[in-house]
Amino acid sequence: MTRHFTDIDDLSISELETVLDIAAELKARTKRDEPHPLLERRTLGMVFEKPSARTRISFETGMTQLGGHAIFLGPDDIGLGEREPLRDTARTLSGYVDCAMVRLFDHADLEELAAYADVPIVNGLTDDAHPCQTLADLLTLRETVGFDAQVAWVGDGNNVAQSFVLGCALAGIDLTVATPEGYGIDERVLDRAGEIGTAPDVTADPEIAVAGRDAVYTDVWVSMGEEAERETKLAAFEERGFQVNADLLPDDATVLHCLPAHRGEEITEDVLESDRAAVWQQAENRLHAQKGLLAFLLDAL
């Protein structure tokens, strides 16, 4: 049966640990400049509806380091759902590539591709979920504060937050989520987290959320595709004190951000550029976490 990665909880608790272990080993090999061509002669198709810097660069570089090849397919190359039904695209891709990473708007489109593909489909981001980011987040937390740490999410209950909630439940991380009223985590995601392990504590007060926390994670308040809501969302988050700044942060708390950051909005320049920020380590870990995932999905170890 083909294994897909549509969200982080497609992995079991033990499988998540395996993927992170593989990622850590491949990161160590990379730092030692040791070749690791685990996916020699394998091809990754990369389908993009949404633009990205980190997603494309990390997957393409990762496949090169693993000895394989990556093909970029932008909106003008494939025209998802326009030239032919999604199910036809899925079956065609299955005949050409060993795995497909797709970065889409509609999560339902991802699920349809996965339903008809005979090769692993990896979610490079949808409006509902960003599980590859969560893998990098968990790898970074494991390297910095450990899974016994207390962590806070402060900001929008967006796709990154929703996958992070599920990832923390899988990893057994004590998480508190602070979002303004009306911008919270989907109740179905909270229910899934509870089924996996422990659902996060939820509050509308960022000061309560961060109190005593070892790490604080934030993301942009206005995600791609939400530009029409920008002024409304900025007002809601600013008025309720959701900016991650020096006054809000507990002493010595590690700061996470999935990038790109809007300095002066969800996070201040001084915090982002401080020694407390692990965001560049987090960004690099996209590469290593995704290499671990690809090696796992393609049974390359």
Side-chain angles (χ1 to χ4, degrees):
M1 181 177 176
T2 303
R3 288 293 306 267
H4 301 298
F5 187 65
T6 60
D7 208 341
I8 191 72
D9 56 340
D10 282 344
L11 300 174
S12 67
I13 293 172
S14 63
E15 287 170 339
L16 173 64
E17 183 177 1
T18 296
V19 170
L20 293 177
D21 286 345
I22 298 168
E25 173 58 25
L26 295 181
K27 181 175 182 176
R29 292 191 198 180
T30 302
K31 298 299 184 183
R32 295 193 299 264
D33 199 25
E34 295 178 3
H36 42 279
L38 302 177
L39 297 181
E40 190 173 6
R41 300 179 63 190
R42 303 285 190 98
T43 300
L44 173 70
M46 304 189 302
V47 179
F48 284 82
E49 274 189 334
K50 285 187 172 185
S52 171
R54 277 157 289 277
T55 297
R56 179 179 178 179
I57 295 167
S58 58
F59 269 106
E60 193 163 337
T61 301
M63 280 301 290
T64 299
Q65 292 182 358
L66 290 168
H69 176 59
I71 300 173
F72 174 80
L73 299 164
D76 294 336
D77 297 309
I78 215 162
L80 277 179
E82 297 175 2
R83 300 176 185 172
E84 60 185 353
L86 287 170
R87 60 184 180 273
D88 292 1
T89 299
R91 290 179 288 207
T92 300
L93 277 173
S94 297
Y96 296 143
V97 302
D98 300 284
C99 182
M101 184 281 297
V102 296
R103 184 176 171 91
L104 312 176
F105 286 94
D106 194 338
H107 196 81
D109 289 346
L110 168 77
E111 292 175 335
E112 184 171 353
L113 288 170
Y116 286 93
D118 293 328
V119 298
I121 299 294
V122 173
N123 181 359
L125 178 142
T126 65
D127 286 346
D128 290 353
H130 198 356
C132 288
Q133 179 64 54
T134 299
L135 284 178
D137 300 338
L138 294 177
L139 183 59
T140 306
L141 286 172
R142 197 166 84 160
E143 293 172 340
T144 53
V145 296
F147 285 175
D148 291 335
Q150 295 182 312
V151 180
W153 173 276
V154 175
D156 192 23
N158 61 14
N159 49 3
V160 176
Q162 296 195 148
S163 288
F164 187 65
V165 163
L166 296 172
C168 286
L170 281 169
I173 294 172
D174 181 342
L175 176 66
T176 298
V177 173
T179 59
E181 186 175 345
Y183 298 104
I185 305 294
D186 190 299
E187 288 294 332
R188 292 168 295 182
V189 172
L190 295 175
D191 290 343
R192 283 160 61 192
E195 292 168 4
I196 293 167
T198 303
D201 292 328
V202 177
T203 179
D205 188 331
E207 292 188 1
I208 290 175
V210 305
R213 298 278 125 173
D214 302 295
V216 176
Y217 193 171
T218 191
D219 189 15
V220 295
W221 295 337
V222 183
S223 297
M224 196 180 305
E226 295 182 340
E227 288 77 11
E229 304 172 47
R230 177 174 174 78
E231 296 307 317
T232 300
K233 293 194 77 172
L234 287 184
F237 286 86
E238 287 172 352
E239 289 172 5
R240 299 168 199 177
F242 276 83
Q243 184 183 77
V244 174
N245 54 40
D247 291 334
L248 181 67
L249 281 173
D251 292 341
D252 301 323
T254 296
V255 177
L256 301 177
H257 194 303
C258 66
L259 302 177
H262 294 167
R263 290 167 166 83
E265 290 183 9
E266 77 277 359
I267 191 168
T268 55
E269 173 89 12
D270 63 312
V271 168
L272 189 64
E273 295 293 345
S274 72
D275 292 340
R276 304 168 71 178
V279 297
W280 317 116
Q281 179 178 344
Q282 187 183 2
E284 180 189 334
N285 278 341
R286 286 289 303 275
L287 169 66
H288 308 299
Q290 288 159 188
K291 285 163 62 178
L293 174 68
L294 291 170
F296 173 80
L297 290 176
L298 294 173
D299 196 22
L301 296 173

